[in-house]
């Protein structure tokens, strides 16, 4: 049976680091197994869902290199949910409720004040036909709950958390549909997972109790004849729940909830850096600057995930980014480099960059003009000698420094620094052996001569 995973964002905002991590891990599970990855837009909440967010989700996933094999939208599947609703209602697993939000809140408070868990008391289930008719005659439209089976134990082997067990009696029958007919998340997601043949559901641990409920919905739907059209898929997918992502201080941070691809892009963070960090954060595998996606995907392993919250540190991301930039091939960055900067230029300058955007500053060392410091008379004489000794061959820098070392007896800093300062105007920077050929013979001689005369 081939692996099918899905990423199911609600288009009510932009993706943040937590969502990106879930998307990435589901993508990796599918890609590693040679399976399929579905993008499912959870847009049943018409009031809060926006088309611009759907576009932004697609754009962000594309920027991150997380391609999807199929796209689905819940808003296009409402007829299907209706069929499932009728089937579960006929099977006695869905019942109408008439309590107002205030009534439910009062019930909740009473339970809590008695030291009881605030579980829905199923009062609506006990209503007679006449009582229901009376409510509707009063103009109260029902909302709908799924009837959990208290006799059916809920168990699953979680891919990260291990054996999980829930007592259905300790859970409230979930509201699955509002009085206006609109759907809550719980049931449509289950129907979609069945219809789309999803074999593995990987999501944050904030969904653990949803999983307990959904397992019973899966079973009820299965009993009502709903089965994956592929035939091979199982009645209930495998589940895994990841520990949440927290900020550096170990707390759920507001900042993480708003940190997304736009912010990363603006700061010059490469998608590969985000991927390298999020692929391994919270796992037993070391976070390393691995720019090759396949290496990360092949080593992706749910069993290496820990139960402790994963700490997202923006400084780690910066460090990782610099190390990734140092590996990026010219083709990956060519359209973001200053005009005229070729592959050799990229290779010379790349080791000095924390962000690709800084390439332009360093490229100015090649194109000039450079701002030279004042040299001592001694250094000026030395630089004049350098201008004369410049010999253009395969390795002009090696040749020049070897000749000057011989003729002047200078070595180390007193040999290299005045040359670097005269040629680039800087005390540090890219490898001169790579930079000098890019500056070119005439320009290099002109800079040395000018420095000697100053
Ligand atoms: N739309 C849900 C969410 O964003 C999907 C949860 C799931 O993966 O089933 O939380």
């Amino acid at each position: 049976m081939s692996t099918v995973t899905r990423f199911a964002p609600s288009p009510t905002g932009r993706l943040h680091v937590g969502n990106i991590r879930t998307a990435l891990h589901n993508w990796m599970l599918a890609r590693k197994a040679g399976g399929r990855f579905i993008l499912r837009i959870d847009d049943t909440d018409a009031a809060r869902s926006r088309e611009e967010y759907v576009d932004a989700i697609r754009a962000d996933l594309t920027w991150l290199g997380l391609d999807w094999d199929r796209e689905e939208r819940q808003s296009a599947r409402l007829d299907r949910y209706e069929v499932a609703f009728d089937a579960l209602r006929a099977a006695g697993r869905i019942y109408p409720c008439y309590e107002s939000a205030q009534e439910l809140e009062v019930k909740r408070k009473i339970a809590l004040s008695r030291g009881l868990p605030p579980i829905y008391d199923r009062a609506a289930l006990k209503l007679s036909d006449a009582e229901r008719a009376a409510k509707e005659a009063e103009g109260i439209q029902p909302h709908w709950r799924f009837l959990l089976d208290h006799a059916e134990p809920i168990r699953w082997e979680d891919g990260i958390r291990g054996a999980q067990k829930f007592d259905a009696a300790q859970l409230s029958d979930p509201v699955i549909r509002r009085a206006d007919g609109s759907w809550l998340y719980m049931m449509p997601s289950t129907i979609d997972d069945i219809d789309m043949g999803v074999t593995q559901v990987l999501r944050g641990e904030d969904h653990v109790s949803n999983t307990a409920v959904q397992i019973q919905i899966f079973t009820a739907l299965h009993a009502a004849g709903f089965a994956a059209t592929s035939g091979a898929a199982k009645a209930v997918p495998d589940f895994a729940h990841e520990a949440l992502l927290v900020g550096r201080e170990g707390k759920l941070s507001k900042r993480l909830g708003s940190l997304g691809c736009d912010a990363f892009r603006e700061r010059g963070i490469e998608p590969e850096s985000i991927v390298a960090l999020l692929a391994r954060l919270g796992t037993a595998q070391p976070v390393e600057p691995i720019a090759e996606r396949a290496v990360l995907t092949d080593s992706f392993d749910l069993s290496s995930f820990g139960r402790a919250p994963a700490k997202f540190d923006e400084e780690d991301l910066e460090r990782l980014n610099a190390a990734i930039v140092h590996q990026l091939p010219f083709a990956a960055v060519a359209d973001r480099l200053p005009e005229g900067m070729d592959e050799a230029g990229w290779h010379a300058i790349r080791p000095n960059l924390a962000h690709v955007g800084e390439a332009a500053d360093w490229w100015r060392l090649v194109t000039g003009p450079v701002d030279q410091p004042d040299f001592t008379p001694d250094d000026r004489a030395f630089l004049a000698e350098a201008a004369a000794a410049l010999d253009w061959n395969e390795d002009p820098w090696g040749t020049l420094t070897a000749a000057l070392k011989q003729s002047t007896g200078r070595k180390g800093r007193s040999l290299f620094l005045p040359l670097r300062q005269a040629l680039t105007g800087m005390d540090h920077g890219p490898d001169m052996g790579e930079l000098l050929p890019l500056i070119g013979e005439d320009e290099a001689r002109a800079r040395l001569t000018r420095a000697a005369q100053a």
Side-chain angles (χ1 to χ4, degrees):
M1 184 172 64
S2 99
T3 298
V4 179
T5 65
R6 83 310 194 265
F7 172 53
S10 307
T12 54
R14 295 293 302 259
L15 299 183
H16 55 72
V17 213
N19 309 133
I20 293 171
R21 177 169 174 250
T22 306
L24 172 68
H25 292 171
N26 277 288
W27 182 87
M28 288 195 153
L29 269 183
R31 293 293 170 256
K32 182 176 179 179
R36 277 172 301 139
F37 174 62
I38 301 172
L39 170 61
R40 187 184 87 199
I41 305 294
D42 281 5
D43 58 352
T44 54
D45 186 342
R48 292 175 61 227
S49 298
R50 293 223 224 111
E51 205 51 35
E52 65 186 89
Y53 292 132
V54 177
D55 291 338
I57 288 166
R58 290 194 198 107
D60 286 347
L61 293 180
T62 303
W63 183 68
L64 291 159
L66 306 181
D67 56 331
W68 55 100
D69 305 299
R70 173 173 175 184
E71 183 176 319
E72 294 284 349
R73 294 179 78 123
Q74 293 194 320
S75 58
R77 293 177 42 79
L78 301 179
D79 291 349
R80 181 68 177 153
Y81 305 150
E82 211 66 59
V83 173
F85 179 83
D86 290 345
L88 290 189
R89 204 180 157 198
R93 297 301 297 269
I94 289 178
Y95 61 99
C97 300
Y98 300 87
E99 294 94 342
S100 67
Q102 289 90 324
E103 281 172 275
L104 290 173
E105 185 53 25
V106 170
K107 282 182 198 248
R108 216 179 70 86
K109 284 200 174 133
I110 292 174
L112 288 172
S113 71
R114 291 186 185 147
L116 297 170
I119 300 169
Y120 176 60
D121 62 7
R122 292 186 163 173
L125 195 57
K126 292 154 206 149
L127 294 176
S128 65
D129 286 348
E131 285 167 323
R132 273 198 294 269
K135 295 273 182 201
E136 294 188 21
E138 276 176 52
I140 304 176
Q141 288 298 315
H143 57 275
W144 303 85
R145 288 189 191 255
F146 174 77
L147 182 70
L148 290 168
D149 181 350
H150 289 179
E152 182 188 312
I154 302 171
R155 291 175 203 279
W156 76 92
E157 187 59 34
D158 194 285
I160 294 172
R161 299 163 66 87
Q164 302 289 299
K165 209 171 105 187
F166 273 80
D167 176 3
Q170 298 303 312
L171 302 168
S172 289
D173 290 338
V175 176
I176 52 153
R177 196 170 192 182
R178 299 186 190 88
D180 67 1
S182 65
W183 298 97
L184 282 117
Y185 152 78
M186 208 65 95
M187 198 175 91
S189 176
T190 312
I191 300 166
D192 292 346
D193 286 340
I194 292 174
D195 285 350
M196 294 163 203
V198 170
T199 59
Q200 265 183 296
V201 173
L202 171 61
R203 54 193 179 188
E205 66 182 11
D206 49 331
H207 281 288
V208 168
S209 59
N210 287 344
T211 296
V213 166
Q214 286 177 330
I215 284 180
Q216 285 213 350
I217 302 182
F218 273 110
T219 318
L221 284 166
H222 202 66
F226 285 75
T229 40
S230 74
K234 43 192 153 191
V236 179
D238 290 335
F239 287 95
H241 297 85
E242 312 188 320
L244 298 182
L245 207 56
V246 294
R248 192 153 75 149
E249 315 73 30
K251 291 195 217 108
L252 276 175
S253 90
K254 247 198 175 154
R255 174 156 176 75
L256 288 191
S258 60
L259 200 58
C261 291
D262 273 357
F264 291 134
R265 209 177 358 232
E266 270 161 37
R267 267 165 47 186
I269 301 290
E270 301 299 314
E272 291 312 327
S273 312
I274 299 164
V275 167
L277 181 63
L278 294 180
R280 298 219 173 147
L281 202 64
T283 77
Q285 301 189 62
V287 171
E288 289 167 337
I290 300 172
E292 218 179 308
R293 186 74 60 103
V295 173
L296 291 168
T297 305
D298 290 346
S299 62
F300 185 75
D301 178 9
L302 282 188
S303 71
S304 73
F305 278 73
R307 294 283 301 270
K311 280 192 192 168
F312 180 84
D313 183 339
E314 293 182 56
E315 283 172 27
D316 286 347
L317 181 61
E318 286 291 347
R319 270 191 294 277
L320 207 60
N321 193 64
I324 295 267
V325 167
H326 302 167
Q327 303 171 45
L328 290 177
F330 178 66
V333 294
D335 57 348
R336 289 184 283 158
L337 297 181
E339 221 185 292
M341 187 164 171
D342 58 5
E343 187 158 3
W346 171 244
H347 282 266
I349 279 168
R350 171 174 87 161
N352 294 274
L353 306 178
H355 304 113
V356 173
E358 295 153 13
D361 294 337
W362 290 108
W363 189 240
R364 260 178 237 123
L365 307 189
V366 171
T367 56
V370 298
D371 199 7
Q372 297 165 330
D374 289 333
F375 291 101
T376 61
D378 224 23
D379 280 345
R380 286 209 291 273
F382 168 69
L383 291 166
E385 199 168 332
L390 196 62
D391 182 11
W392 217 250
N393 56 21
E394 279 290 281
D395 176 19
W397 177 253
T399 312
L400 176 68
T401 50
L404 290 171
K405 190 173 176 181
Q406 264 249 301
S407 64
T408 66
R410 287 191 184 219
K411 54 181 197 271
R413 196 178 156 81
S414 69
L415 171 67
F416 297 116
L417 186 61
L419 291 171
R420 177 181 283 283
Q421 288 172 327
L423 288 164
T424 71
M426 305 275 296
D427 294 347
H428 66 279
D431 183 82
M432 289 302 300
E434 289 188 58
L435 207 56
L436 189 53
L438 299 170
I439 294 171
E441 181 175 7
D442 293 345
E443 177 65 15
R445 187 169 288 111
R447 290 183 193 179
L448 291 169
T449 308
R450 181 154 60 87
Q453 287 161 357

